[in-house]
Amino acid sequence: MSTRDSWRNSWGSGYGYTGGGGGGGGGATFGGTSAWGAGGGDTIFRVLSRQSYQERLSKRRSGIVSGFSRDGIYEEDDSSLYSEGDIEVPPISKAEDWALMPDVKNYAERGEKDHLKARKLGITWKNLTVKGVGSDAAYNENVTSQFNVPRNIKEGRQPPPLNTIIDDSHGCVKPGEMLLVLGRPGSGCTTLLKMLANRRNGYAEVNGDVHFGSMTAKEAQRYRGQIVMNTEEELFFPTLTVGQTMDFATRMKVPYHKFSDQHRDKDFHQEYRDFLLKAMGITHTENTKVGNEFVRGVSGGERKRVSIIETLASRGSVFCWDNSTRGLDASTALQYTKAVRAMTDVVGMSSVVSLYQAGNGIYNLFDKVLVLDEGREIYYGPREEARPFMEELGFICGDGANVGDYLTGVTVPTERRIRPGMELSFPRTAEEIRAAYSRTDIKAKMEKEYTYPQSDEAKENTKEFQQAIVYDKDKTLPKNSSLTVSFPKQVKACVIRQYQIVWGDKPTFIIKQLATLVQSLVVASLFYNASTDSAGLFSKSGALFFSLLYQALMALSEVTDSFAGRPVLAKHKAFAFFHPAAFCIAQIAADLPVLIFQVTQFSLVLYFMVGLKVSASAFFIYYVTLFAIAMCMTAVMRAIGAVFSTFDGATKLSGFWFSALVVYIGYFIPKNQMHPWFVWIYWLDPLAYGFEILMANEIHGQTIPCVNQNLIPNGPGYTDPAFQSCAGVAGAIQGATSLTGDQYLSGFSYKHSHLWRNFGIIWAWWAFFVFVTIFATSNWKETAGKSGFLVIPREKASKNRQLLQKDEESQAKEKGLSSESVTPLDSSGSSMDEKTIDNQLISNTSVFTWKDLTYTVKTPSGDRVLLDKVQGWVKPGMLGALMGSSGAGKTTLLDVLAQRKTEGTINGSILVDGRPLSVSFQRSAGYCEQLDIHEPLSTVREALEFSAMLRQSRDTPKEEKLKYVDTIINLLELQDIEHTLVGRTGAGLSVEQRKRLTIGVELVAKPSILIFLDEPTSGLDGQAAFNTLRFLRKLAAVGQAVLVTIHQPSASLFKEFDTLLLLARGGKTVYFGDIGVEASTLKEYFARNGAPCPQDVNPAEHMIDVVSGGASQGKDWNQIWLESPEYKEVSNEVDQINKEAASKPPGTTDDGHEFAMPLWQQIKLVTHRMNISLYRNTDYVNNKFALHIGSALFNGFTFWKIGNSVQELQLKLFTIFNFIFVAPGVINQLQPLFIDRRDIYEFREKKSKMYSWIAFVTGLIVSELPYLCICAVLYFAPWYYTVGFPTDSNKSGAVFFVMLFYEFIYTGIGQFIAAYAPNAVFASLVNPAIITILVSFCGVLVPYGQIQEFWRYWIYYLNPFNYLISSILTFTVFDVEVQCTDQEYALFDTPNKMTCGEYLAPYKAGLGARTNLINPEATSGCRVCQYRLGSDYLSTLNINDYYIGWRDAGIVVIFALSSYVMVYALMKLRTKATKTAQ
């Protein structure tokens, strides 16, 4: 055995040394975990004296030690790292020069000192095959095709096809090793990482063995907090700050046994949090909100870094990182990889990383590489042997090329280069490369590692790992728990975070509370000072009903909230931060003060203004009942949100269940009149129990005299109670003129003795729904498996046959032949060569310049400068790069130049051809946003044609516009997918296809000035990024001017650019000018100023490092630039360009139109797109239909065949009133769709002056109309006839007419709220306020005569619901003959043996004119019914004649039109002008 081997054995077993793969010395690790995970400490200090270690380190830094390249990357020759003699020196970590390496070692030393156990696992997998449900393409049904029953049955019988995502993969990552997984998008990298992170949910089949240490995948499930994955998405609560986010993450992983020098949990989590923030260089963002696309926060690159350190906070042993450098600049990406390398080396983690566009500096930090191609593993082995293996097969790797991109490009005909002489013998497909790999020694050598799970080392590591986890875990947790801290600590941390979320979103909190105050004032004034006699009963019960209704309405927004936070909770559950019960309890704890405040202000206002019973006990019971209902209904809505996996499903049930609970509260229909088939809802209704409490609390113990209509006869001459009787008051005894509270309650089957019983039942329901929420939350499943497929609209199926008929033969063909290497065809099928395409592309002669550009925004801490005196130019035929570190202001500069900013102050000059920008500039310049925002239900061709039709000049013929679309489709190689839907992530176009479409949408507009592109290569693999740059280069070649921001260009990408504008943080210029051949000009500038670019280092990465990273040398590079001769030349050049250009005719002529097309054409095109989109949106349309049919049947069978008694007249009023409540559910559903479309318009289409806001609103309104007509039919037919309304066509037709226009009214209301609301959650909070005010003042809850005068003469008449109800009531009730039941008659005797007719003659001539005396000849037992006809009843509701029905129907039409006018008005109010330079 060699000396080196003996060293490995002696140190490796005791301290976790593991050999890496091959001669790179990669993967040598030492040291165990501390509170991080490893034990044993850093053994390097045991072998070397401090002095000799420091000597070797200083030599290594000065480049003396062989085996290190100048840029500090450890390379092949490791022989010099072993000294002569007996003592050997272990390899130094490849990340030894990482700034925080000493901190990591300090953790390890403290762990060794405290004798903490190692937490090393490693992953080994063999024969791993993963299958998902779904093929390469799926159909999107439309509104009519979904009803093709025979085809649905035929397709339903066929089992869903299984798609192989990973095919027979194998590998081993030991503790201390880093594996790089490479592959193009769709090759299965994410799925492989999910398998290695033990996330198997959502896949149809997973076969093969995966071992974590010596544990199987099943055994490792209880250690999910140690086997973690960082996904590509950044999922956070946007209103939390970075510091709060990290504070929570680190609190959740505080070990039970901390370092001996740490005595409190706070010491550990604060130290750990600060270290992580420092590790990714985002300490300065600690007090900044994380933000998202709607909440302003940190930059995209900074958010990605927060995502990285949150994952590190899990203190795992196995880490899987999925494309974690997306959106990071090259310097930050390298620092991130060094951080993972350092922790892997010192701590003994196992790290698996998938990356796109990994530079060689990053690539060289890995030990092993695994290359996937369409799920097939074509190489797995040592990193340093991957390139030679591919080169031996005949593939050439160019000088300075990214090796990672080279490895993934070998199966793509357009990317690979073949060594001369091997054109016929090289392997052409992934299968052939895999076959060649299986014959190599590399595979045989790697296979020896697959026995690692059975080795003593793995068993020992696993045993220590399990002991370390038990040692870390709080003693109160169950044995099989994956969590770390005790349940009370979890709850405490979750409660703190919940309060931070509420406080971070203060506007929503304030709106809720102000809405509550306003509502309580408005409603209390409606029921103001209700009397204590029979006239006040209806008002009081209305006020009590509304008290409960409002709490329930406020709880409805919980459904939206539960879906907003769900992805974050799923992520934290995977990290084993907390048990879902802790989160649910925290939500309740956060509810308490908010709901107490809400109920307090509501109660104090409403209770005393209405004049309810004035006693402390009565008020207390009212108060605690409202609080209990608020808590219970919040729990109900949360439970519905938790149970459903989709928002659509949850809104459907919540809307329907809400209306059921309100109808069966006991206010509309007394319990004794409920039909037996639905009475069970009453027993399940928490609101019903609350209503009985409030009624019993208020009415019990009172004596209620009958007055006005409820006392027959009354008025002058009728004062003797012996000859009067109550009528129309529940529970009243016939012949009596008053009743007790308990008698009134008995009329509704209520009892005062039920009060505290019901209170207990409400809390029992609350507990039940909390349990349901916890149970459902604990069982949330990840969705996966069926993703990455194209979606074909059913009506375009015939044009997409090639996507649905991929047989085995075509699978084996070479990639790229379908699009890349086929001669493009135009729409007529004729061939188009490159020259033809180039001839059709538009060229540009305008010069674009900007000088002394400053952009300032206002922040809470004062003005902040985001751009500082920036200048430069873009000329025709020039491809300019705009670079800088994350947060340097690249996107900001692009937005300012493209006139896209609506906030802040811009100073400086922006000129085209030396002239100020014209009115048509925004549509004459193309701008590709960083976010690929498109209408998801358009096809690729439709999206391109839409842009071409609206943005090319109005003088260009339609045929020419469409022909140019063909040109761009061919240029961007989109022929294969032109008839597929854009879709959403996972179901639709891939990231790279979406990026090409974004570029295409701008190109088809024929931009005549220049094209801006913001991060066009982010999220793409190397090949896709190169293709994108190739397209841009082609555009520049035909004379187009192009300016691009770019994060991580490889050396080969960087060569494509002509000029560079380099920015430092704060928008300060570091360099502007030519890049030069092989970046010579740029390198010379930095070398002259003391920052030479080392050989073989990508100049793009070097520059970013100089500006923001470790190579900055503490210099102010902005100041160096300002003092350089290049700066003076640039300033003079800008002036010269402007002077020359201004003296010539302008390169582009301004047609004077803000929009390319006239308004009528815009409206036609936008409406057509909206119509198609809605036609394909079956989920939305089906929900709308289902809600109407369900609500109509429920309403119809609840009020089944209503008769004509007095009580039933009221039921007719209530069934019509109930029709109103179809609105909230549909509004909640239509607003998110409206806001999604508005976002697409505002973020992209408005800014490029594609079409006017008038066309946008018109399109949205018109596209809804056909479906609203169908909805009216779907509600009318099941409801109108089941409740027993008149079947005459003149009556039923009139009712249908009014119902149809009500559909338009509430849609207009929902759309005008959405038009101005910042987001869907805000809209869902405003809805209850508007709906409840309209419902309150429509004359149902309080009859017209009892509405306070302040409201009666304006809001009542401005209320569309008033006219809706009165017109339908008139048509259905006016002519009805009222037939009192025996209990409804007023029964009394007459004085002095008078006949009933004689006694009541004066009464019938006056106040009792509308009553019906049944037995005028009788001398005792007079029977009087309150009404003769329905018109008599309607007179109490301010409906005095039949013509009022048609008058009100006409007014309903006017309201429908005015609600749509409001949509236009509020959209106009929201539309802001963009800022121009001053």
Side-chain angles (χ1 to χ4, degrees), residues 8 443 780 784 1184 1379 1428:
R8 286 187 179 180
K443 186 179 183 192
W780 277 345
K1184 223 182 181 70
Q1379 295 160 350
R1428 291 170 299 126

Side-chain angles (χ1 to χ4, degrees), residues 435-645:
Y437 167 73
S438 63
R439 296 191 292 270
T440 62
D441 295 340
I442 302 171
K443 186 179 183 192
K445 187 166 67 175
M446 290 293 106
E447 281 177 340
K448 290 176 184 172
E449 294 188 342
Y450 302 161
T451 58
Y452 177 73
Q454 289 79 46
S455 69
D456 292 339
E457 182 190 348
K459 289 173 182 172
E460 183 61 32
N461 280 346
T462 306
K463 186 181 172 186
E464 286 201 3
F465 165 83
Q466 290 169 335
Q467 289 171 348
I469 297 303
V470 172
Y471 192 67
D472 255 10
K473 201 160 64 174
D474 194 280
K475 301 303 175 205
T476 59
L477 292 171
K479 250 186 180 177
N480 60 352
S481 172
S482 309
L483 309 173
T484 306
V485 299
S486 66
F487 189 72
K489 286 178 183 173
Q490 293 170 37
V491 172
K492 182 184 173 187
C494 287
V495 169
I496 291 170
R497 183 181 67 172
Q498 210 58 32
Y499 282 127
Q500 288 168 341
I501 290 169
V502 171
W503 191 243
D505 190 14
K506 286 192 281 290
T508 303
F509 174 75
I510 290 166
I511 286 162
K512 262 188 174 181
Q513 301 315 319
L514 281 177
T516 302
L517 183 61
V518 170
Q519 285 286 332
S520 57
L521 284 166
V522 169
V523 175
S525 64
L526 175 69
F527 298 106
Y528 182 70
N529 214 11
S531 61
T532 55
D533 51 33
S534 66
L537 284 175
F538 195 67
S539 294
K540 284 185 177 179
S541 58
L544 298 177
F545 164 73
F546 184 83
S547 300
L548 298 174
L549 175 70
Y550 186 74
Q551 310 310 320
L553 272 170
M554 291 303 279
L556 262 179
S557 64
E558 288 298 327
V559 179
T560 314
D561 286 352
S562 74
F563 280 88
R566 181 176 295 195
V568 186
L569 302 182
K571 176 178 76 169
H572 287 172
K573 185 184 169 189
F575 287 165
F577 278 174
F578 53 81
H579 192 280
F583 172 74
C584 296
I585 292 168
Q587 277 191 310
I588 293 163
D591 288 341
L592 289 172
V594 174
L595 291 181
I596 286 171
F597 184 72
Q598 179 180 307
V599 170
T600 301
Q601 58 167 336
F602 185 90
S603 304
L604 287 171
V605 172
L606 189 128
Y607 193 88
F608 295 107
M609 280 183 69
V610 173
L612 299 178
K613 192 186 283 184
V614 185
S615 80
S617 62
F619 175 74
F620 173 76
I621 291 168
Y622 172 83
Y623 179 85
V624 294
T625 304
L626 282 203
F627 178 72
I629 287 293
M631 289 290 285
C632 189
M633 290 307 294
T634 301
V636 170
M637 295 306 163
R638 258 188 211 143
I640 291 172
V643 166
F644 279 84
S645 58

Side-chain angles (χ1 to χ4, degrees), residues 1058-1358:
D1058 301 314
T1059 61
L1060 170 73
L1061 173 54
L1062 183 60
L1063 295 178
R1065 184 170 287 282
K1068 297 176 187 294
T1069 307
V1070 172
Y1071 178 82
F1072 176 76
D1074 289 343
I1075 292 172
V1077 180
E1078 301 292 332
S1080 54
T1081 311
L1082 186 65
K1083 286 179 181 175
E1084 189 276 327
Y1085 172 80
F1086 280 101
R1088 178 162 29 98
N1089 289 294
C1093 179
Q1095 201 174 353
D1096 294 334
V1097 169
N1098 179 354
E1101 292 182 12
H1102 172 70
M1103 284 174 334
I1104 300 292
D1105 208 24
V1106 167
V1107 175
S1108 62
S1112 64
Q1113 304 166 19
K1115 294 182 179 179
D1116 183 345
W1117 286 95
N1118 172 243
Q1119 196 57 41
I1120 291 169
W1121 166 250
L1122 293 175
E1123 292 166 1
S1124 69
E1126 283 85 353
Y1127 169 71
K1128 295 178 181 64
E1129 286 172 23
V1130 167
S1131 297
N1132 295 333
E1133 179 77 4
V1134 171
D1135 293 336
Q1136 189 62 31
I1137 290 170
N1138 287 336
K1139 193 175 176 185
E1140 285 181 17
S1143 64
K1144 298 177 189 171
T1148 50
T1149 53
D1150 179 22
D1151 58 11
H1153 299 299
E1154 185 180 5
F1155 302 102
M1157 298 298 284
L1159 182 61
W1160 174 241
Q1161 290 296 327
Q1162 293 172 38
I1163 289 171
K1164 279 203 311 191
L1165 288 162
V1166 174
T1167 304
H1168 179 66
R1169 181 178 73 162
M1170 299 284 190
N1171 278 331
I1172 289 175
S1173 172
L1174 215 53
Y1175 179 62
R1176 290 174 181 156
N1177 195 346
T1178 50
D1179 277 354
Y1180 174 77
V1181 173
N1182 290 351
N1183 273 358
K1184 223 182 181 70
F1185 290 171
L1187 200 61
H1188 277 80
I1189 294 169
S1191 300
L1193 289 171
F1194 179 72
N1195 192 358
F1197 282 95
T1198 293
F1199 296 94
W1200 171 260
K1201 297 294 180 191
I1202 308 172
N1204 295 325
S1205 69
V1206 173
Q1207 180 67 49
E1208 285 170 320
L1209 288 177
Q1210 189 126 18
L1211 293 184
K1212 289 187 179 187
L1213 169 66
F1214 281 140
T1215 188
I1216 295 166
F1217 182 61
N1218 203 28
F1219 166 55
I1220 284 177
F1221 288 97
V1222 76
V1226 182
I1227 287 174
N1228 277 344
Q1229 187 205 356
L1230 75 84
Q1231 284 175 335
L1233 182 74
F1234 186 102
I1235 289 168
D1236 277 353
R1237 286 174 163 182
R1238 189 194 69 195
D1239 289 342
I1240 294 170
Y1241 170 67
E1242 289 188 339
F1243 285 130
R1244 186 169 63 81
E1245 294 166 343
K1246 183 184 98 174
K1247 290 175 179 176
S1248 56
K1249 298 287 182 187
M1250 198 182 271
Y1251 54 88
S1252 161
W1253 62 270
I1254 297 172
F1256 168 75
V1257 174
T1258 307
L1260 269 172
I1261 289 172
V1262 172
S1263 62
E1264 288 273 4
L1265 297 181
Y1267 302 99
L1268 295 177
C1269 295
I1270 296 169
C1271 284
V1273 173
L1274 293 178
Y1275 199 103
F1276 175 81
W1279 168 67
Y1280 187 85
Y1281 298 102
T1282 47
V1283 294
F1285 281 151
T1287 54
D1288 309 356
S1289 58
N1290 65 331
K1291 302 270 175 41
S1292 56
V1295 170
F1296 176 74
F1297 175 79
V1298 177
M1299 288 175 70
L1300 175 62
F1301 276 90
Y1302 175 62
E1303 296 284 338
F1304 302 151
I1305 287 175
Y1306 78 70
T1307 302
I1309 290 170
Q1311 287 181 333
F1312 81 62
I1313 293 170
Y1316 200 71
N1319 53 51
V1321 175
F1322 180 93
S1324 70
L1325 291 174
V1326 174
N1327 295 338
I1330 290 182
I1331 296 289
T1332 47
I1333 285 177
L1334 293 177
V1335 164
S1336 305
F1337 289 95
C1338 68
V1340 175
L1341 296 182
V1342 180
Y1344 173 77
Q1346 293 180 33
I1347 297 175
Q1348 296 298 319
E1349 288 186 5
F1350 174 75
W1351 300 113
R1352 190 190 307 166
Y1353 296 117
W1354 67 283
I1355 202 166
Y1356 173 81
Y1357 288 105
L1358 289 177

Side-chain angles (χ1 to χ4, degrees), residues 41 72 93 149 220 290 292 458 534 548 649 678 861 888 1093 1170 1207 1312 1463:
S93 169
V149 178
V290 177
N292 60 11
S534 66
L548 298 174
F678 277 156
S861 54
C1093 179
M1170 299 284 190
Q1207 180 67 49
F1312 81 62
V1463 186

